[in-house]
Amino acid sequence: MPLPGVLDRSLGEFWVTNPWDIVDQGHNLSAYERKRAFLNVQGQGFLDISYVTGADSDGDGRSVVAGDFRHDGRLDLVVRQVGGGPVLLYENQFPRAHYLTVSLRGTASNRLGIGARLTATVSGRELTRELYPHNSFRSQMPSRVHFGLGDAARIDRLTIRWPSGAVQTFDNLAADRHVVITEGRTGPDAVETVTPGQVIPP
Ligand SMILES: [Ca+2]
């Protein structure tokens, strides 16, 4: 492949014939900009926690995925980089709090319930999440919905609006677990608890 004319190194231009050589040759597509992580401090805006969390890497990050990789109720982050840079795993070590993780099994809707909207009523507040796992550049989140519940050990009501238009509600759900809910199923077995580490068929 021919060289692209005259490079202007004052602008940070460079050329490699193999993109996997970008890092080895000391180049960086984003001019070593540091990543940023922001903590949502309820009612007080966002706090820049990039440095204290170690998230302020200057690698060429391209995609980030949030998932609970240790099944401890705290969402961790995986950052993928361009040019052969290392995959970065940031383990969430914030103090533990209550949570509920939900997987969906559509029947009239698509199998994973993609596009469902879930609303949890917790201590008078409503938390709404949409199951939209492909909402990220060159990456995909786990097909699960995560609710961080703080001090609340129960969800007073969980409402699921399926892509088919069906609506289901569940009252008084215990927190700190991963459950699977099947569209249209009612009764005591409607909410199936998943054992940590258990493989859930897609
Ligand atoms: Ca975790």
Side-chain angles (χ1 to χ4, degrees):
M1 184 176 294
L3 285 171
V6 180
L7 297 175
D8 186 344
R9 299 193 186 282
S10 69
L11 297 177
E13 294 179 353
F14 64 89
W15 180 256
V16 294
T17 53
N18 182 347
W20 294 99
D21 290 339
I22 291 175
V23 174
D24 289 343
Q25 296 186 16
H27 300 298
N28 184 291
L29 293 178
S30 57
Y32 297 100
E33 288 177 327
R34 291 188 173 276
K35 298 178 184 61
R36 288 287 179 265
F38 296 93
L39 178 68
N40 186 349
V41 184
Q42 186 182 347
Q44 302 178 63
F46 291 84
L47 185 65
D48 188 340
I49 57 172
S50 312
Y51 176 75
V52 294
T53 59
D56 61 340
S57 157
D58 63 1
D60 271 328
R62 283 298 180 277
S63 58
V64 59
V65 166
D68 183 6
F69 299 107
R70 286 190 184 274
H71 305 289
D72 60 5
R74 296 176 289 187
L75 290 178
D76 314 295
L77 297 176
V78 171
V79 175
R80 187 75 171 90
Q81 305 189 75
V82 72
V87 175
L88 303 174
L89 171 61
Y90 296 95
E91 184 176 11
N92 187 335
Q93 296 183 341
F94 276 87
R96 284 175 181 254
H98 295 296
Y99 72 97
L100 183 73
T101 303
V102 182
S103 291
L104 298 177
R105 293 294 176 263
T107 52
S109 303
N110 63 81
R111 175 63 174 158
L112 294 177
I114 305 296
R117 174 175 291 188
L118 289 75
T119 300
T121 304
V122 183
S123 304
R125 296 180 58 206
E126 286 195 344
L127 309 173
T128 298
R129 304 282 184 270
E130 291 183 334
L131 183 54
Y132 194 53
H134 46 295
N135 186 17
S136 183
F137 181 65
R138 289 195 169 186
S139 57
Q140 180 174 323
M141 312 284 183
S143 302
R144 300 174 181 179
V145 172
H146 178 92
F147 289 102
L149 303 176
D151 296 332
R154 311 191 76 81
I155 284 182
D156 301 319
R157 168 165 285 195
L158 178 67
T159 302
I160 302 172
R161 292 175 174 81
W162 293 87
S164 66
V167 178
Q168 281 178 275
T169 60
F170 299 90
D171 292 330
N172 201 27
L173 289 179
D176 304 328
R177 63 197 62 199
H178 174 195
V179 298
V180 177
I181 296 176
T182 301
E183 183 176 11
R185 181 178 293 179
T186 58
D189 65 342
V191 179
E192 177 187 354
T193 300
V194 179
T195 304
Q198 175 184 350
V199 176
I200 310 172

